[in-house]
Amino acid sequence: ARDEELWRLACVKVWGHSIGTLDAQDAENSTVYYSWRDMFIRRERVNFSGCYISKTTYLRMGENSFQDQFYRPVQLVEYYRYIRFMPDGKVLMMTSADEPSQGVTKIRNVHNIRPDVLRGRYRLFGDTVTLVLQKSSQSRATTGHVRQRRGSVMPLDDDSNATQFLIELRIGHSPKRRCAQLVWSHYTLVQKRNKVDTSSEFDLTDAKYPSLWFSPVKSYHLDADAPLV
């Protein structure tokens, strides 16, 4: 289990062509890794054996009542955001009112994506993960074949009228698990209409875009939970 080639292959599985070398691997943080195992343990990455989940809750004021102008209902809005990463560079994101026990099942089957799920690719840059997503389409999901490259962030298709979501998240840690937190740092919506791009940036407040926390999902397991003893 300490064989360096095994750990090198594990690193390739996570970082792909961006793996670099052991000496001066992370130029941004001046980090040097002493072995491939050391890199796998200490370098920021995303977890594949589960889903990153956030919960957003806020109050929305309703319209005044016609019978009583002093009465104005207040609605409690609550929804979840799910992000799932896969070793081949794919990523899925979904916003839903479903509780996590039901929500994670909707992005379990990567070959049968629901229309409300955003699909795309991601790439790691130090402690930042960049996502390029767009809405799922039945025609692309069933008949389209896209040339894919590990870690690439190329557009999913060449549709002249398309909407893409460009997201940057910073990887953080929890006391019990490394790389268990994703903090929003940038979110841009790019709409393409008649070959003209229009971009809009989202205001990333903590109330509407709280951090996502990793939660293991048994049906997602693509690797072991712990090293062999």
Side-chain angles (χ1 to χ4, degrees):
R2 297 276 178 162
D3 184 87
E4 276 295 277
E5 181 61 18
L6 294 178
W7 289 104
R8 188 189 69 81
L9 294 175
C11 292
V12 171
K13 179 180 179 182
V14 174
W15 292 285
H17 67 278
S18 302
I19 185 173
T21 58
L22 290 178
D23 52 336
Q25 160 60 35
D26 193 345
E28 296 180 358
N29 299 323
S30 301
T31 302
V32 176
Y33 301 103
Y34 305 102
S35 65
W36 295 111
R37 180 177 183 272
D38 181 48
M39 176 192 292
F40 189 84
I41 293 175
R42 293 198 294 124
R43 186 177 176 183
E44 279 78 8
R45 56 189 174 91
V46 291
N47 295 303
F48 302 133
S49 59
C51 188
Y52 290 86
I53 305 173
S54 68
K55 180 180 179 180
T56 302
T57 303
Y58 65 93
L59 297 177
R60 184 171 61 189
M61 302 300 297
E63 297 182 357
N64 290 335
S65 172
F66 290 105
Q67 298 178 350
D68 185 358
Q69 293 297 321
F70 296 99
Y71 173 74
R72 189 177 185 182
V74 178
Q75 299 174 339
L76 176 64
V77 180
E78 183 178 280
Y79 63 89
Y80 297 85
R81 184 174 284 109
Y82 303 87
I83 298 181
R84 180 188 177 187
F85 297 94
M86 283 158 282
D88 60 355
K90 296 187 183 72
V91 60
L92 304 175
M93 187 173 81
M94 180 184 69
T95 301
S96 173
D98 294 330
E99 294 283 340
S101 57
Q102 291 83 30
V104 295
T105 61
K106 294 185 177 180
I107 53 177
R108 178 173 55 192
N109 189 350
V110 298
H111 303 292
N112 185 21
I113 305 302
R114 298 164 53 92
D116 56 340
V117 176
L118 300 179
R119 55 191 288 270
R121 304 193 70 82
Y122 71 92
R123 189 172 180 181
L124 292 168
F125 298 92
D127 64 348
T128 300
V129 55
T130 302
L131 289 68
V132 177
L133 300 147
Q134 65 185 43
K135 292 183 178 180
S136 302
S137 172
Q138 292 296 329
S139 59
R140 288 196 303 269
T142 57
T143 61
H145 296 279
V146 181
R147 181 175 58 85
Q148 299 170 351
R149 183 179 60 190
R150 181 188 297 274
S152 68
V153 291
M154 60 184 178
L156 298 180
D157 56 34
D158 296 325
D159 189 2
S160 59
N161 296 315
T163 301
Q164 287 190 337
F165 302 84
L166 310 180
I167 301 173
E168 287 187 4
L169 302 165
R170 182 173 53 83
I171 301 174
H173 312 288
S174 71
K176 295 183 179 180
R177 183 189 291 267
R178 283 183 54 81
C179 307
Q181 182 187 26
L182 294 178
V183 181
W184 295 85
S185 59
H186 189 77
Y187 193 177
T188 301
L189 172 66
V190 179
Q191 292 180 309
K192 187 175 183 180
R193 295 292 183 270
N194 299 322
K195 298 183 179 181
V196 177
D197 292 344
T198 303
S199 61
S200 304
E201 292 191 13
F202 291 89
D203 185 15
L204 301 179
T205 61
D206 293 335
K208 291 187 177 180
Y209 294 91
S211 299
L212 297 102
W213 293 93
F214 180 76
S215 179
V217 181
K218 291 183 179 180
S219 59
Y220 290 3
H221 277 193
L222 299 175
D223 50 10
D225 286 328
L228 298 176
V229 179

